[in-house]
Amino acid sequence: MSKNVGKIFESEIKNSVPDYAKLLRLSDPPHSFTKRSDTKFSKKNPYDYECFDSLRRTLYCFELKSTAQKYIGFQIDSEDDREVLIKWHQIDGLTKASQYQNVIAGFLLNYRLDDEQFVYFFNIKDFNKMKESIDKKSFNIMDAVLYGAKKVDGCKKRTRWHWNLDDFFKSQEV
């Protein structure tokens, strides 16, 4: 059975975390597994991962997204029930996390276009500025870059990618 591309991206990120950083996956609620309507009351995770960079004493809150599309849709508020990649509760969770000192929160966006892959970190503060400024409910790579998304370098090792999170952590300012 082939592995879900989102799970492959998660695995690549886990394997890319430097030794000095601790990565913690927030547990998914039961409804995430069953997709049953009778478990809708389950609490939704604010984001996927917390990663503590012990060298710079910085906590990263990451929501991972992987897509083969050129555009990524997002919900505009809590009433928006469109099926899109970025959900309102994720935007809200990352926004709340970003309000703390020494916390950097945002999306790790994996674009799988043709035979290439690109990863960008989109800080939630920059994402929110973009969301308020553009007159659409989705964005492309250029929109993200124009609003501050930073490319995370990577290289393909046989079949899987390694993303240079060490250089990424070093380049961030709290």
Side-chain angles (χ1 to χ4, degrees):
M1 183 162 91
S2 67
K3 210 172 184 186
N4 170 313
V5 291
K7 295 297 179 192
I8 291 171
F9 178 51
E10 276 192 38
S11 174
E12 291 171 349
I13 291 297
K14 284 181 198 175
N15 294 331
S16 298
V17 173
D19 291 340
Y20 60 81
K22 174 162 178 34
L23 185 70
L24 173 68
R25 173 72 157 106
L26 302 183
S27 299
D28 285 323
H31 139 192
S32 297
F33 298 108
T34 63
K35 304 288 187 205
R36 294 183 356 214
S37 61
D38 62 343
T39 56
K40 265 192 170 172
F41 63 87
S42 295
K43 187 174 178 4
K44 295 175 180 170
N45 278 352
Y47 41 82
D48 293 325
Y49 285 95
E50 290 182 344
C51 186
F52 181 67
D53 173 352
S54 66
L55 296 181
R56 286 164 277 292
R57 298 188 177 275
T58 303
L59 178 67
Y60 291 88
C61 301
F62 292 134
E63 177 64 32
L64 276 58
K65 297 296 178 187
S66 185
T67 184
Q69 305 298 314
K70 292 181 181 179
Y71 294 89
I72 294 179
F74 57 88
Q75 292 178 331
I76 55 170
D77 57 33
S78 61
E79 303 299 313
D80 188 346
D81 61 354
R82 291 174 300 121
E83 280 300 315
V84 291
L85 201 56
I86 296 178
K87 310 286 190 235
W88 175 253
H89 71 274
Q90 296 162 341
I91 298 168
D92 187 50
L94 290 168
T95 301
K96 287 176 180 172
S98 73
Q99 295 170 358
Y100 292 94
Q101 196 170 17
N102 297 333
V103 174
I104 297 175
F107 299 99
L108 279 175
L109 306 172
N110 173 228
Y111 289 94
R112 305 179 322 275
L113 305 173
D114 302 318
D115 288 334
E116 270 306 303
Q117 289 197 37
F118 307 95
V119 170
Y120 287 87
F121 174 73
F122 203 175
N123 188 304
I124 191 64
K125 292 175 182 179
D126 295 331
F127 173 86
N128 285 331
K129 285 178 194 169
M130 179 204 66
K131 186 171 73 79
E132 297 303 318
S133 299
I134 63 175
D135 192 27
K136 45 188 180 173
K137 298 174 186 175
S138 65
F139 63 94
N140 58 35
I141 294 174
M142 285 305 288
D143 293 328
V145 170
L146 284 171
Y147 282 91
K150 304 283 189 253
K151 188 173 183 188
V152 177
D153 291 328
C155 62
K156 191 171 187 176
K157 295 184 173 186
R158 289 192 194 175
T159 59
R160 299 285 185 243
W161 284 80
H162 176 81
W163 302 102
N164 194 337
L165 293 178
D166 181 46
D167 281 353
F168 168 73
F169 289 153
K170 289 175 184 172
S171 73
Q172 297 304 298
E173 293 180 26
V174 181

